[in-house]
Amino acid sequence: MTGSPYLHIRSVQKSYKGALALHDIDLAVEQGEFVSLLGPSGCGKSTLLQILAGLLEPDRGQIQLDGADITHLPPWRRNIGLVFQNYALFPHLSIRQNVRFGLDMLGMGRAEAEKRVDESLEMVGLDPSLSRRPGELSGGQQQRVAIARAIAIRPRLLLMDEPLSNLDAVLRHKVRLELRELHDRTGITTIMVTHDQAEALATSDRIAVMQSGRILQFEAPETLYGAPATAFIAGFVGSPPANLLPVTASGPDSWTLADGQVWQPAAILAPKANGAEAGRACLIALRPETLSIGTTGEGGLPARVAAVEFNGGDRLVHAETGGTRITVRIAASQAITGPDILLFPPQQAPVLFDAATGTRL
Amino acid sequence: MKQTPDIKPTATALLVAPAAILMFGVFVLPFLFLVVLSFWSQVPGSVGIVPGFTLANYARIIGDGYYLGGLWTTLWLSGLVTLLCLVLALPLARWIVLYAKRSKGLLIGLCILPLVCGALLPTLGLVNLLSPLGFINGALKSMGLIKTSLPLLGNIAGVSIGLVQAFLPLMILPLISTIERIPHDYEKAAMSLGATRLVVWRRVLLPLMLPGIVAGSLLVFCASLTAFVTPQILGQGKVVTFASLAYQQAAMVLDWPFASALGMVMLLFLALAGLLGALVSRGLGRRT
Amino acid sequence: MTSRFSKAMLLAAVLAILLFLLAPILVLILSAFDSGNVFRFPPRGLSLRWFEAAFNHSEYRSSLWISTVLGLLSTAIAVGLASLAAFGLVRGKPSYRLAMEVLLLAPLTLPLVVWAIALLSIYAQLGINGTLPGLILAHVTITMPFAARIMIATFGEIDPNLEAAAKSLGASPWQVVRRITLPLALPGLLSSTAIAFLVSFNDVVVTTLIAGAGWITFPVRTFSRLRTEGIDPTTIAIGAMIVAFTILVIVFGQRLFQLSRRL
């Protein structure tokens, strides 16, 4: 190892019909990592995946894989496995022929190829004796065939484009665990595109959050959740995501809420402790599960309960404070006494964003 | 993936070019040549052409009651055929979309049969169907309903029947594709709101089918206006349509400039029909 | 009015309309078996004598041969060109796609007889009137829209991700075409070949104007005889066979590769 990353994306730029789809993307992925590209539709994550697969060429920038420049290598010379949202199984070939396709392209001998097909199908939990056509399988099974086909060629990189979004909710949960287990068993460096933050959090070693053709943050799930780099990420990651309370510093010790109400929080949450000069408009990120509810005490935010959702193990309380809707997660056993409550943020340094730019203070 | 991998613009152009050049050269250019030719004249008694501007061909069409009469017959015949096709195609198309399940493909296949059989072969069958000794007259006579044969050939009736049969598919296909796009719930919704079957048709179904009706009507009208094989055989020379006049000039008299002028007149009326169709669909588009 | 009753009424109307639509073809087939010189109903006798006559008639045999050769050559060219163009338009998504589709489909909407008049005079100027190349060019033109329409629909139905998947599995562009695109386009290719051949084989409108004396196809021969001598029962027998063949092509085409889906 020379110390350079296994997959290195450097200053990659791509425009579509005059509009910039990817903006100076830099990304370094280590061998054996499971990385997610997470973002809303149109953020450029699929474009980046296609550039990695070689289906699109970047306008500029470079892609290095395992020390070699593959920027201009055609897809059929890259040895990169690709799994599609709609699986893209060849309908005119049987399941085994689908899995064997890449091996035939490599010119592998019959006996060896058949053995590899067996291994790959077993790896994804399918019966290798399946002789049916892809159209006769359920969505979940088709998904497994697609993965078996991609890993049969022992790819240097496995790319998955929204692999779970065509499955129903129950199956999606099950398959995402299997994806992670498969990755741990094979050790194939994997890049998954998804718009589902829960999926990304559950499976990935690191997540690159993308918006408008840029990578906003590339971190481990825990970091992304606990220390989001921008207000967009805070409001996107988590279910439900963090509350973003708009506030303006009205002095060293107090904030003004959106409706003009003045809030005097605990010292650690005050403008002075967070470097916000008077008049600075900010967003405070408040995770639903870190807020607590009470009726008396210092530094509480007065709020009015609008709705309560019972979720089995917990309750989500939706409350109105200072003109903003805030969601709080409390234990199902905790009772709500009346419509007027006080919300208490945790006694720790808050995550604070500049209201205008959305960047961390 | 949302953005599919494209092929390069130069490769696209190379793939499309051969067909495009052929269609432009062999199909579009002749129409341009037709415009020019219609203003030239024929060397009398030969196939030679004098390339000098003249309005003589057009003057001859307008000045001669024979051609104007043919034009008038053709226009109202085409209108009649279009209307008949519409009346017959509506229930058929609707039934195929709503009720034909497994037989749908086969029914559509049968409907296009007259299209791929060409103009001639079905007409041969029609002659035997309509002739004085033919199927219909023979059947009616043997049932004792008529004594002498009904005249079904050599008149407008025969020609209309032939044209309707030949061009019904042109109405059915666009109708099927528009009806397929109308959600079946609309009808139920309208009826749940208290609309009677008639109101449902008038206020919901027909307006939604209109694009198909306009497209189909245009196709049938244009095809009837320019048909000459069916009118010649079934009309037995007694029904003179405009296209058969043009055909005679081109194939027998060999006066191509005059045939071109007749062709231009047909194009003019087709353009007018197209314009009318566009106005109808736009007008209704604005109303909804 | 109950809905079951109205459905039965609709069904009756539909059957009547279908019968009307197909009556000429049914009568054509039926009358081929009539033994008389002039068809009359009810038939006086049934025989196969006209079929026999048809096979022994050298003039018809040669014009059927001409129709077949012309149909095969034109179909091959039209389907080839239309497939290339359709693939380019569907996969390349050029800005001129719509204009190109209008151009390729134009012969379906513009009057062929008017076009043939112009073509006739151009061919006369070029001296290719009544030649095989001239006929083939014309037949490629009239069959092109059918082939183009079916092929555009065919390629539109093939998921481009399949081609991308094959590439990622190591297939070169040529291997993608041979192992993925062509096998998947095969039903469309067969459909367009069948339809284009039938259209070319049965055309009379264009061919009668430009065929000349050397390349008289079966429909042209029949048409010109019809105007001078009336219906010849031999023609009926041949026509019945052609129509039967056409029906077979459509029915089997529908069964085997869902021909009507892309029309």
Side-chain angles (χ1 to χ4, degrees):
Chain A
M1 273 307 267
T2 52
S4 69
Y6 183 65
L7 170 69
H8 202 179
I9 302 172
R10 293 156 80 174
S11 320
V12 161
Q13 192 148 314
K14 176 76 188 171
S15 57
Y16 263 124
K17 288 168 184 144
L20 220 51
L22 288 179
H23 214 289
D24 228 12
I25 297 286
D26 282 293
L27 198 70
V29 176
E30 298 303 332
Q31 184 149 26
E33 263 194 303
F34 193 125
V35 168
S36 285
L37 302 178
L38 172 67
S41 64
C43 70
K45 57 192 193 298
S46 277
T47 307
L48 184 56
L49 200 76
Q50 291 192 53
I51 288 176
L52 288 178
L55 299 169
L56 286 177
E57 267 199 54
D59 298 341
R60 62 186 172 79
Q62 199 192 34
I63 294 162
Q64 285 183 338
L65 182 62
D66 207 3
D69 181 359
I70 62 161
T71 318
H72 302 290
L73 208 60
W76 56 92
R77 301 233 175 84
R78 291 196 178 195
N79 198 29
I80 288 177
L82 195 49
V83 175
F84 293 85
Q85 180 175 0
N86 65 356
Y87 321 132
L89 297 177
F90 307 131
H92 59 302
L93 301 181
S94 74
I95 284 152
R96 290 190 66 91
Q97 285 170 326
N98 261 281
V99 179
R100 242 185 75 170
F101 188 89
L103 305 174
D104 291 346
M105 294 298 119
L106 289 173
M108 189 181 280
R110 192 186 157 79
E112 198 189 346
E114 288 296 320
K115 205 171 134 240
R116 189 80 80 79
V117 171
D118 286 342
E119 279 170 23
S120 307
L121 285 171
E122 272 165 18
M123 191 94 81
V124 297
L126 281 175
D127 178 4
S129 62
L130 271 180
S131 59
R132 283 180 288 175
R133 300 254 154 175
E136 299 164 44
L137 299 183
S138 70
Q141 285 175 310
Q142 289 189 33
Q143 167 70 279
R144 286 162 211 243
V145 177
I147 294 169
R149 184 177 70 178
I151 62 172
I153 58 170
R154 305 247 164 99
R156 298 192 287 170
L157 197 60
L158 180 62
L159 306 177
M160 300 196 277
D161 187 36
E162 303 271 7
L164 304 173
S165 61
N166 276 14
L167 303 174
D168 67 55
V170 178
L171 208 53
R172 203 179 306 159
H173 217 93
K174 185 164 169 263
V175 176
R176 85 183 186 201
L177 277 176
E178 289 175 2
L179 282 184
R180 180 68 214 195
E181 285 171 26
L182 184 76
H183 169 265
D184 292 348
R185 253 181 294 145
T186 59
I188 301 173
T189 313
T190 303
I191 296 187
M192 175 172 84
V193 155
T194 179
H195 65 275
D196 183 339
Q197 49 85 27
E199 215 169 280
L201 291 178
T203 53
S204 317
D205 295 317
R206 284 197 287 169
I207 299 171
V209 183
M210 295 184 67
Q211 189 197 17
S212 317
R214 294 170 200 272
I215 292 180
L216 301 180
Q217 193 174 14
F218 182 40
E219 288 293 352
E222 295 78 8
T223 315
L224 210 62
Y225 190 82
T230 71
F232 170 79
I233 298 174
F236 184 59
V237 173
S239 32
N243 299 292
L244 293 171
L245 183 69
V247 290
T248 310
S250 48
D253 303 317
S254 64
W255 299 100
T256 309
L257 303 181
D259 63 349
Q261 209 185 138
V262 174
W263 173 42
Q264 265 185 311
I268 194 165
L269 292 158
K272 192 170 66 183
N274 292 288
E277 66 280 16
R280 181 76 172 264
C282 299
L283 292 165
I284 300 181
L286 300 167
R287 287 275 167 208
E289 63 277 14
T290 62
L291 287 164
S292 50
I293 291 178
T295 44
T296 52
E298 290 287 300
L301 269 168
R304 196 174 174 84
V305 175
V308 179
E309 254 183 279
F310 175 61
N311 279 335
D314 54 38
R315 268 180 223 278
L316 291 181
V317 179
H318 302 275
E320 203 76 51
T321 180
T324 310
R325 185 59 84 85
I326 297 282
T327 304
V328 185
R329 191 200 298 275
I330 57 170
S333 53
Q334 190 180 343
I336 306 289
T337 46
D340 291 305
I341 53 169
L342 288 175
L343 297 177
F344 293 96
Q347 294 289 324
Q348 61 189 45
V351 174
L352 210 65
F353 302 103
D354 184 90
T357 62
T359 49
R360 190 78 184 268
L361 276 185
Chain B
M1 275 185 211
K2 286 134 220 151
Q3 304 101 356
T4 55
D6 295 349
I7 50 178
K8 296 211 166 65
T10 41
T12 306
L14 282 176
L15 286 169
V16 177
I21 291 169
L22 181 100
M23 292 309 278
F24 186 79
V26 187
F27 195 73
V28 178
L29 277 186
F31 276 102
L32 301 179
F33 185 62
L34 187 88
V35 180
V36 177
L37 196 61
S38 72
F39 292 105
W40 289 355
S41 56
Q42 179 86 0
V43 179
S46 79
V47 292
I49 289 162
V50 185
F53 180 83
T54 170
L55 286 171
N57 297 318
Y58 291 99
R60 191 170 149 202
I61 298 170
I62 296 168
D64 195 331
Y66 182 61
Y67 296 110
L68 286 183
L71 181 61
W72 172 241
T73 312
T74 310
L75 282 176
W76 73 258
L77 181 67
S78 304
L80 177 72
V81 168
T82 307
L83 201 66
L84 288 173
C85 278
L86 183 59
V87 170
L88 294 180
L90 263 178
L92 189 55
R94 193 169 145 79
W95 196 83
I96 287 177
V97 173
L98 290 190
Y99 303 116
K101 297 269 148 49
R102 292 185 54 200
S103 55
K104 183 172 164 190
L106 200 60
L107 280 175
I108 296 177
L110 286 179
C111 287
I112 64 147
L113 207 50
L115 271 190
V116 291
C117 280
L120 192 69
L121 298 179
T123 315
L124 285 182
L126 262 182
V127 172
N128 281 346
L129 184 71
L130 303 173
S131 72
L133 292 174
F135 212 91
I136 291 179
N137 278 314
L140 289 176
K141 273 186 218 161
S142 62
M143 285 188 278
L145 292 171
I146 53 170
K147 282 266 177 320
T148 52
S149 294
L150 297 171
L152 295 170
L153 280 182
N155 56 21
I156 286 286
V159 175
S160 320
I161 292 172
L163 289 178
V164 169
Q165 268 160 343
F167 301 137
L168 198 52
L170 296 177
M171 186 69 91
I172 293 175
L173 291 181
L175 276 182
I176 285 179
S177 58
T178 28
I179 295 175
E180 267 175 345
R181 269 178 264 141
I182 302 175
H184 197 43
D185 297 345
Y186 282 12
E187 223 174 306
K188 289 184 194 145
M191 287 209 257
S192 78
L193 294 169
T196 62
R197 218 164 262 277
L198 198 70
V199 175
V200 169
W201 266 94
R202 200 167 54 81
R203 304 260 312 251
V204 181
L205 293 178
L206 281 180
L208 287 170
M209 287 180 195
L210 204 85
I213 293 177
V214 170
S217 301
L218 271 178
L219 285 176
V220 173
F221 186 80
C222 294
S224 315
L225 194 70
T226 58
F228 71 93
V229 175
T230 308
Q232 274 207 329
I233 297 173
L234 298 177
Q236 298 187 320
K238 285 168 211 139
V239 178
V240 179
T241 62
F242 206 65
S244 43
L245 293 175
Y247 169 75
Q248 278 163 13
Q249 289 297 324
M252 288 149 206
V253 184
L254 301 182
D255 186 344
W256 297 329
F258 185 53
S260 302
L262 292 169
M264 287 295 291
V265 173
M266 281 191 265
L267 285 181
L268 174 74
F269 279 93
L270 295 184
L272 286 177
L275 201 65
L276 187 71
L279 284 177
V280 168
S281 18
R282 185 170 306 171
L284 276 136
R286 197 177 298 139
R287 213 178 61 184
T288 47
Chain C
M1 196 158 68
T2 67
S3 98
R4 182 179 284 184
F5 178 72
S6 66
K7 193 181 161 184
M9 289 286 291
L10 186 60
L11 180 63
V14 163
L15 288 177
I17 295 165
L18 268 180
L19 186 67
F20 173 76
L21 185 69
L22 300 176
I25 286 160
L26 297 176
V27 170
L28 180 71
I29 292 175
L30 204 74
S31 54
F33 294 95
D34 185 65
S35 59
N37 283 328
V38 174
F39 175 77
R40 60 161 65 220
F41 186 85
R44 282 155 301 185
L46 297 177
S47 87
L48 293 174
R49 61 181 278 222
W50 301 120
F51 289 100
E52 211 174 301
F55 286 113
N56 294 326
H57 202 301
S58 67
E59 211 175 280
Y60 282 132
R61 263 218 314 263
S62 80
S63 55
L64 280 171
W65 177 239
I66 288 170
S67 289
T68 310
V69 169
L70 180 59
L72 289 177
L73 290 174
S74 318
T75 300
I77 298 171
V79 171
L81 294 185
S83 303
L84 293 180
F87 190 73
L89 292 179
V90 172
R91 286 287 182 271
K93 297 191 213 97
S95 52
Y96 49 84
R97 174 174 172 167
L98 188 67
M100 212 44 80
E101 280 186 23
V102 169
L103 176 66
L104 293 180
L105 302 184
L108 285 182
T109 44
L110 285 171
L112 291 180
V113 57
V114 178
W115 168 70
I117 290 171
L119 197 65
L120 171 65
S121 31
I122 291 182
Y123 275 11
Q125 310 293 317
L126 298 176
I128 55 170
N129 224 352
T131 64
L132 187 62
L135 266 179
I136 289 177
L137 268 185
H139 274 235
V140 170
T141 308
I142 58 173
T143 49
M144 178 77 80
F146 292 94
R149 214 161 120 152
I150 295 174
M151 291 320 294
I152 287 172
T154 300
F155 289 125
E157 281 174 11
I158 298 177
D159 180 0
N161 281 352
L162 295 175
E163 287 156 2
K167 274 192 211 167
S168 80
L169 291 167
S172 65
W174 169 240
Q175 283 173 315
V176 173
V177 167
R178 201 169 58 83
R179 307 216 18 177
I180 306 297
T181 315
L182 272 183
L184 290 174
L186 195 64
L189 279 168
L190 292 175
S191 296
S192 54
T193 302
I195 298 282
F197 178 78
L198 292 175
V199 166
S200 162
F201 190 88
N202 288 325
D203 175 74
V204 57
V205 173
V206 172
T207 320
T208 188
L209 276 158
I210 58 164
W215 297 93
I216 300 177
T217 64
F218 174 73
V220 171
R221 170 145 289 158
T222 309
F223 183 53
S224 58
R225 279 196 160 223
L226 208 55
R227 284 188 325 239
T228 52
E229 300 157 34
I231 291 190
D232 168 4
T234 319
T235 322
I236 296 280
I238 300 177
M241 287 190 280
I242 294 174
V243 167
F245 172 71
T246 307
I247 293 175
L248 280 182
V249 169
I250 299 266
V251 170
F252 277 101
Q254 183 57 35
R255 272 282 153 74
L256 299 178
F257 38 87
Q258 305 195 311
L259 182 139
S260 72
R261 209 157 48 101
R262 298 176 194 86
L263 282 172

